[in-house]
Amino acid sequence: MGWHKKVLRVNLTDGSCNAEPLNMQWAAEYLGQRGLATKYLLEEIDPKVDPLSPENKLIIATGPLTGTMASTGGRFSVITKGALTGAIACSNSGGYFGAELKFAGWDMIIFEGRALSPVYLLIKDDSVELLPADDLWGKSVWETDEILHRRHQDPQLRVAAIGQSGEQGVLFACVVNDLHRAAGRSGVGTVMGSKNLKAVAVRGTQGVKVKDPARFMRVVAEKKQILAENAVTGQGLPTYGTQVLMNVINEVGALPTNNAIDVQFNGASKISGEAMHEVRASDGKSNLVANKACFGCTIACGRISKMDQTHYTVVNRPEYWGASGGLEYEAAWALGAATGVDDLEALTFANFICNEQAFDPITFGSTLGAAMELYEMGLISDAETGGTALKFGSAEALTKMAELVGKGEGFGKVLGLGSKRLCEKYGHPELSMSVKGQEFPAYDPRGIQGMGLTYATSNRGACHLRSYTVASEILGIPEKTDPLATEGKAGLVKAFQDATAAVDSTGLCLFTTFAWSLDDFQPQVDAACDGEWSLERLSEVGERIWNMERQFNLAAGFTGKDDTLPKRLLKDAAKTGPAQGRVNGLDQMLPEYYQLRGWDNAGVPTRETLSKLGL
Amino acid sequence: MMRSLSITPAKCTGCLQCEMACSYENEGVFNPAKSRIKVFVFEHEGRNVPYTCTQCADAWCKNACPTEAIQINAATGAKVINEGLCVGCKVCTIACPFGTVNYNHATGKVIKCDLCGGDPACAKACPTQAITYIDADWTGYDKMRGWAARTDTQSAAQV
């Protein structure tokens, strides 16, 4: 249970939409969402396929607890071969869309092929139609959302869409749902665009049932109480959102600044969660308007912001005066510290554009940071940028480039390649702050050593959401480890990776893990799903998923050589802060990590490891 | 003590725990489409507003019902649909000025909030106390207390 046991298969090439039974054997082995959909993808496509070809598939998947009353039970993921990376991509989003899909009676949608001309998918419970989207092509996510609500006369329709960036082939386009929640990373929106699929609109009235409702209700109430009483999920995140981290990470000297030339940013406090609360001199209001929860979430870390109407970006542009998704920590870091910009309103505007046109602020900000370094080295000219000086710290450069990337126009097309391709184009591949083609986020591995191993080994390219050792190394959750030490980090990273893979397969949000361990997920999963779900089984599922993703990447052509970091993190020591004089000690962690994983020296899972995990 | 639901929209985050609790309590399924309480999200204003039946003392729905299917629960004051008497004529849905009585095409009856017999599931599920179940005669107590706390008694005493 937790499932409708129904998959919707949409062949965009021939326009067919068919229901098929969910593979319950795989659900027993891979749980749901991230794990289960990756299993489907691995079984159905050749990992060597060109991500933007019709042979790639795009899966929108819920977890068994999506649409239930478990706290944060609104998550879904988009799984495909990533446009940015060529690796396995799995981007997780909240909002209301995932639960609505479940309520419509569908556990998963598999898109295959490519439509001849733009289409969108309309789901109303069992009724499923592919409809022409020629008039939506060229529209932003926000416009698309409004048009579809008007056209179908249903205010309760939930829409997930790509913006112009995804249509134009910007390689880090997202799928944005409910206006400002995003399946953000690896270019999953670019793959959607390559299939001529503009949007999925869904309305569901069938609800979700669980195996043992009475026990489930008892357990989820207990677990919600734990979230409410925890300092991070009960206070820090509701008050400041993920932005609670900006000043903290800056102080520990792990805030990558100006394309990671520095590890501390002078302007950090100006773009922090605290700053979002401050009253602006211009209009007497604060940037932050309200907290926002995704479906079912009792934490509510989401930020809703309003722009200062006198800010240069929005003067005479009332379409940006309304409340919308405000800065989260990763976006504030990427749009701010990575580019040296400390204008909170400019960051908020750029973030609005990322949502409106659906592209990843992390990759965008990091790519712009790399372009700024190249510009300051004299390698990118004003003629190329259309006259915009790409200097570190320039808010104008940030907001101008955000708009160009959003539309896939001008220099935005070049930035739309992502930093790896951009830096190669200008002859300095080492200036791309990426691993496996994906830019690392807001934690500098020189100041938080475990994050170096996290980035190097992340299956979807550099990412914080694959093993958030920051929790242990900085916040002391579940126990404090020294952020500057490499000892013990291999085991820590492996444990976090496996647990995270399981959590990402439940339908619940990873942010609960500030308060919950896998022991807290286990009784919720067990009360909802068929069969018996022990802690051991859940842990094993996590490890199985991690190794399966690894197999996908190895089959796609990645090797152990790709488990590395940008040279800057390994050679150029941190200049200031507690980590001053240090580089990341990846070479001290990686061999032990391979060993703990049961992989050989080349990073390939041994036969014993695979057979132990049933792979 | 007679109690009533009290809603403070400024505290609502739009999580819909109330809608799921309501549908589970009344229909045995997690399904906001079957909830008697709805949260309205005004995206461009950043406001989330839960809305449900306020249990009018002199209830339009009850007065309009031709079959006397809407009855008062003496213990809670809730206006409750007697499904045995309801013929699904929908006159109450027209009479209610607030739209909180709705027709359910699956059962052919109307549905509305009945305060869960005196222990409303929505209030219990709300993580932010945006929905509370409090003394019906003192729904303004907390608001009064809030203003009272801001009253400058010290300077008044000095006058």
Side-chain angles (χ1 to χ4, degrees):
Chain A
M1 294 285 263
W3 296 120
H4 292 285
K5 304 183 181 177
K6 232 167 73 179
V7 175
L8 175 59
R9 188 177 293 276
V10 178
N11 186 309
L12 294 160
T13 305
D14 67 18
S16 63
C17 302
N18 292 305
E20 59 182 61
L22 185 70
N23 187 320
M24 292 311 291
Q25 178 59 43
W26 291 351
E29 289 163 17
Y30 299 92
L31 190 52
Q33 202 174 348
R34 174 174 163 186
L36 184 55
T38 303
K39 175 65 177 170
Y40 268 88
L41 193 75
L42 189 60
E43 293 288 333
E44 295 194 11
I45 73 166
D46 174 357
K48 289 198 167 49
V49 77
D50 172 358
L52 299 180
S53 70
E55 286 72 38
N56 192 10
K57 297 191 184 187
L58 182 98
I59 304 178
I60 297 180
T62 66
L65 301 187
T66 307
T68 71
M69 216 169 143
S71 183
T72 75
R75 310 301 299 190
F76 72 99
S77 292
V78 180
I79 293 93
T80 185
K81 179 169 175 174
L84 183 70
T85 56
I88 184 72
C90 173
S91 296
N92 184 306
S93 183
Y96 300 107
F97 176 86
E100 198 72 26
L101 179 63
K102 195 71 158 300
F103 294 144
W106 302 100
D107 301 317
M108 192 187 279
I109 314 173
I110 303 175
F111 291 100
E112 46 193 39
R114 172 189 286 156
L116 271 178
S117 58
V119 293
Y120 69 99
L121 183 70
L122 178 68
I123 302 174
K124 291 192 170 185
D125 291 326
D126 294 334
S127 153
V128 177
E129 299 177 87
L130 273 175
L131 297 166
D134 304 273
D135 60 331
L136 299 175
W137 211 252
K139 298 277 194 270
S140 72
V141 170
W142 293 359
E143 290 165 327
T144 301
D145 190 281
E146 192 185 334
I147 292 167
L148 290 178
H149 277 100
R150 212 172 41 230
R151 179 177 301 167
H152 297 292
Q153 297 284 305
D154 186 350
Q156 300 188 67
L157 206 60
R158 308 293 189 187
V159 176
I162 58 165
Q164 281 176 281
S165 70
E167 298 170 7
Q168 294 300 322
V170 166
L171 287 174
F172 45 90
C174 318
V175 180
V176 164
N177 58 287
D178 303 292
L179 300 173
H180 48 75
R181 305 308 311 181
R185 300 223 70 193
S186 316
V188 296
T190 320
V191 174
M192 186 158 153
S194 76
K195 298 194 169 305
N196 269 325
L197 177 63
K198 179 67 182 177
V200 180
V202 59
R203 172 92 167 95
T205 64
Q206 299 183 20
V208 177
K209 289 186 173 166
V210 294
K211 180 177 72 184
D212 185 343
R215 177 155 61 100
F216 186 75
M217 288 299 279
R218 208 166 51 241
V219 171
V220 299
E222 218 173 85
K223 300 307 174 190
K224 278 187 268 194
Q225 196 57 34
I226 294 175
L227 294 177
E229 287 166 4
N230 179 275
V232 178
T233 53
Q235 288 165 24
L237 286 175
T239 309
Y240 293 115
T242 53
Q243 273 273 65
V244 69
L245 288 167
M246 183 63 75
N247 289 321
V248 175
I249 302 297
N250 192 47
E251 275 161 32
V252 301
L255 192 70
T257 301
N258 294 347
N259 202 37
I261 292 171
D262 295 303
V263 296
Q264 289 184 307
F265 180 41
N266 283 336
S269 67
K270 289 190 187 168
I271 61 169
S272 65
E274 289 83 344
M276 289 170 73
H277 277 267
E278 277 166 24
V279 171
R280 293 184 288 235
S282 54
D283 62 358
K285 294 173 180 157
S286 61
N287 176 282
L288 182 72
V289 177
N291 295 359
K292 179 72 190 163
C294 293
F295 180 92
C297 175
T298 57
I299 304 172
C301 75
R303 305 287 93 179
I304 299 296
S305 286
K306 270 190 191 174
M307 288 289 301
D308 172 354
Q309 294 177 14
T310 65
H311 191 260
Y312 75 89
T313 49
V314 297
V315 171
N316 297 322
R317 298 173 83 180
E319 64 271 31
Y320 297 109
W321 293 355
S324 193
L327 291 166
E328 318 275 342
Y329 172 60
E330 307 301 329
W333 161 78
L335 303 170
T339 63
V341 177
D342 64 5
D343 175 345
L344 183 71
E345 295 298 315
L347 267 56
T348 303
F349 177 76
N351 195 54
F352 279 11
I353 299 297
C354 288
N355 288 329
E356 184 189 23
Q357 297 293 9
F359 58 99
D360 173 13
I362 299 179
T363 287
F364 166 65
S366 182
T367 301
L368 181 58
M372 285 171 160
E373 188 167 358
L374 291 164
Y375 179 90
E376 294 200 346
M377 289 161 74
L379 296 170
I380 293 175
S381 69
D382 284 332
E384 286 173 279
T385 66
T388 303
L390 295 188
K391 291 192 172 150
F392 282 123
S394 167
E396 290 76 10
L398 169 72
T399 56
K400 177 83 188 160
M401 291 303 140
E403 295 205 71
L404 287 175
V405 169
K407 296 193 160 111
E409 288 173 358
F411 197 67
K413 270 215 169 309
V414 182
L415 291 171
L417 295 168
S419 70
K420 179 169 182 276
R421 292 169 177 86
L422 176 113
C423 291
E424 280 167 0
K425 177 179 153 79
Y426 290 99
H428 285 272
E430 77 283 3
L431 295 184
S432 166
M433 294 302 119
S434 64
V435 179
K436 300 185 179 78
Q438 179 158 287
E439 292 70 13
F440 67 75
Y443 313 89
D444 197 298
R446 289 167 291 196
I448 308 176
Q449 293 288 324
M451 291 309 281
L453 184 61
T454 288
Y455 296 158
T457 58
S458 164
N459 286 325
R460 70 167 181 174
C463 171
H464 57 299
L465 295 172
R466 287 300 175 268
S467 55
Y468 194 70
T469 60
V470 176
S472 165
E473 298 181 87
I474 302 300
L475 305 173
I477 301 168
E479 55 195 26
K480 186 81 172 76
T481 53
D482 179 0
L484 301 178
T486 53
E487 296 82 39
K489 295 300 164 64
L492 188 71
V493 166
K494 177 184 179 293
F496 271 56
Q497 285 174 338
D498 292 346
T500 300
V503 170
D504 284 346
S505 303
T506 59
L508 307 187
C509 179
L510 187 61
F511 287 7
T512 57
T513 59
F514 288 113
W516 292 349
S517 67
L518 221 44
D519 305 69
D520 297 295
F521 289 88
Q522 180 268 327
Q524 302 187 77
V525 172
D526 187 57
C529 297
D530 287 340
E532 284 193 22
W533 286 86
S534 65
L535 188 60
E536 295 67 35
R537 181 175 174 193
L538 209 51
S539 307
E540 191 186 74
V541 163
E543 188 171 9
R544 182 179 298 128
I545 292 165
W546 190 267
N547 280 274
M548 169 175 63
E549 291 173 339
R550 180 76 175 184
Q551 285 181 302
F552 182 100
N553 285 351
L554 292 170
F558 288 93
T559 69
K561 290 200 176 68
D562 298 299
D563 297 336
T564 186
L565 292 171
K567 210 161 67 183
R568 177 162 284 166
L569 304 179
L570 299 172
K571 304 278 180 208
D572 302 349
K575 292 177 196 155
T576 62
Q580 189 173 9
R582 287 176 194 264
V583 295
N584 184 265
L586 180 64
D587 56 347
Q588 296 148 45
M589 301 181 279
L590 192 62
E592 186 190 353
Y593 171 84
Y594 280 178
Q595 199 183 4
L596 289 172
R597 277 253 166 254
W599 296 355
D600 66 18
N601 292 337
V604 179
T606 62
R607 194 181 296 265
E608 296 78 60
T609 300
L610 294 177
S611 96
K612 185 190 86 183
L613 294 168
L615 286 164
Chain B
M1 177 176 70
M2 193 66 94
R3 299 207 287 172
S4 72
L5 282 176
S6 174
I7 290 174
T8 312
K11 292 183 179 174
C12 177
T13 61
C15 75
L16 311 194
Q17 281 277 339
C18 56
E19 295 193 15
M20 282 184 289
C22 180
S23 63
Y24 177 75
E25 179 73 24
N26 292 289
E27 312 278 341
V29 58
F30 300 116
N31 189 357
K34 296 268 160 67
S35 174
R36 287 123 166 92
I37 186 166
K38 293 303 287 179
V39 176
F40 295 86
V41 180
F42 299 94
E43 280 287 350
H44 300 297
E45 301 164 39
R47 292 199 306 139
N48 308 292
V49 185
Y51 206 84
T52 190
C53 174
T54 55
Q55 313 294 350
C56 308
D58 189 6
W60 280 272
C61 60
K62 180 174 174 297
N63 295 341
C65 179
T67 65
E68 299 191 1
I70 300 180
Q71 299 163 346
I72 298 178
N73 177 323
T76 63
K79 311 302 170 295
V80 181
I81 309 294
N82 181 327
E83 289 215 347
L85 295 175
C86 175
V87 296
C89 73
K90 312 179 197 67
V91 171
C92 57
T93 69
I94 299 166
C96 174
F98 309 106
T100 56
V101 192
N102 285 282
Y103 179 66
N104 180 352
H105 76 271
T107 60
K109 313 286 178 186
V110 295
I111 54 176
K112 68 178 289 297
C113 171
D114 62 2
L115 297 175
C116 298
D119 189 16
C122 56
K124 274 191 292 186
C126 179
T128 62
Q129 282 85 52
I131 306 166
T132 52
Y133 192 53
I134 58 173
D135 187 344
D137 293 339
W138 280 105
T139 52
Y141 188 88
D142 281 349
K143 218 181 274 180
M144 282 172 77
R145 192 176 188 283
W147 284 101
R150 290 162 64 175
T151 302
D152 188 353
T153 46
Q154 197 176 11
S155 60
Q158 283 163 357
V159 170

